[in-house]
Amino acid sequence: MNQMLNVAQVFASHIDDVSEGQRASYRHWLDSNPGVLDRIEERTRERVADDVSEGHINAISLARYYRIVDVARQEVKGVFTDAEVLMLLDGSPTSVMSGELNERVASLYYSEFGEEALSRDSMQYKLCKKLAGLTRLQELGLIDIIECAWRNPANGLEYAMAHLCRQIDA
């Protein structure tokens, strides 16, 4: 189990060329999602057996995670307008969305937009209402798409539009 105690740190820092900025981003994410390492360790411990190692569990879990993300990403495609995607990208542009394990994505954006300033007829308020209607899995897909777009400034907007907006057949 000692390997599991450090699994998240290993993901963020085992590669020699990881920058201090990447480490700081990861530490911020950990701080905004308290208990995540304990949950990872607990979930892994539940699944380990004599013939199934921690590494095997981690590989299976990661494969399942990406499958879930792929399904969730498909569920949010076509939900948002171009203007809403722009607001999502501008709302809190950072390479990692912090706090998403403890708060709903609508709450994160609502506070980012300045909740006291949002009138019920504003585009931001309407976007937050739409975000509040997403399932937890759909939020996961949305967060994944937005983070991938934020991490690719050269064509992040195109990426987000391609994965979030309804495609019009020519």
Side-chain angles (χ1 to χ4, degrees):
M1 281 304 147
N2 195 23
Q3 174 192 2
M4 197 59 228
L5 292 174
N6 295 319
V7 70
Q9 284 91 354
V10 169
F11 288 143
S13 64
H14 80 287
I15 300 170
D16 290 336
D17 62 343
V18 171
S19 70
E20 183 53 38
Q22 290 168 323
R23 284 188 184 97
S25 175
Y26 175 69
R27 283 191 302 268
H28 177 70
W29 183 85
L30 279 178
D31 290 345
S32 69
N33 293 291
V36 71
L37 296 180
D38 293 335
R39 287 193 298 270
I40 291 170
E41 181 184 359
E42 181 182 330
R43 298 308 181 273
T44 301
R45 193 174 32 246
E46 292 171 353
R47 290 159 175 81
V48 172
D50 289 340
D51 60 340
V52 182
S53 71
E54 289 178 10
H56 188 182
I57 296 302
N58 292 334
I60 290 169
S61 297
L62 193 56
R64 288 177 180 160
Y65 163 78
Y66 281 118
R67 176 65 183 122
I68 290 168
V69 169
D70 289 345
V71 170
R73 287 169 63 120
Q74 285 302 310
E75 287 186 6
V76 294
K77 187 169 186 149
V79 171
F80 301 97
T81 67
D82 291 3
E84 290 169 335
V85 170
L86 289 171
M87 283 189 289
L88 287 168
L89 291 173
D90 289 340
S92 180
T94 179
S95 59
V96 178
M97 186 175 285
S98 297
E100 83 278 9
L101 298 180
N102 296 308
E103 286 191 64
R104 299 296 305 258
V105 73
S107 296
L108 294 171
Y109 273 98
Y110 192 62
S111 62
E112 192 65 38
F113 290 141
E115 60 253 42
E116 64 281 342
L118 292 182
S119 67
R120 291 189 180 269
D121 59 344
S122 71
M123 290 178 54
Q124 293 86 353
Y125 182 84
K126 291 174 184 174
L127 173 60
C128 287
K129 291 287 285 183
K130 190 179 279 189
L131 292 171
L134 297 177
T135 67
R136 291 284 186 162
L137 289 177
Q138 289 169 333
E139 287 180 355
L140 176 68
L142 174 65
I143 289 167
D144 190 64
I145 292 167
I146 295 297
E147 285 180 344
C148 287
W150 282 336
R151 292 175 193 147
N152 187 356
N155 67 353
L157 177 59
E158 292 173 19
Y159 181 92
M161 293 294 184
H163 288 87
L164 288 172
C165 294
R166 208 171 257 121
Q167 299 301 310
I168 300 170
D169 295 329

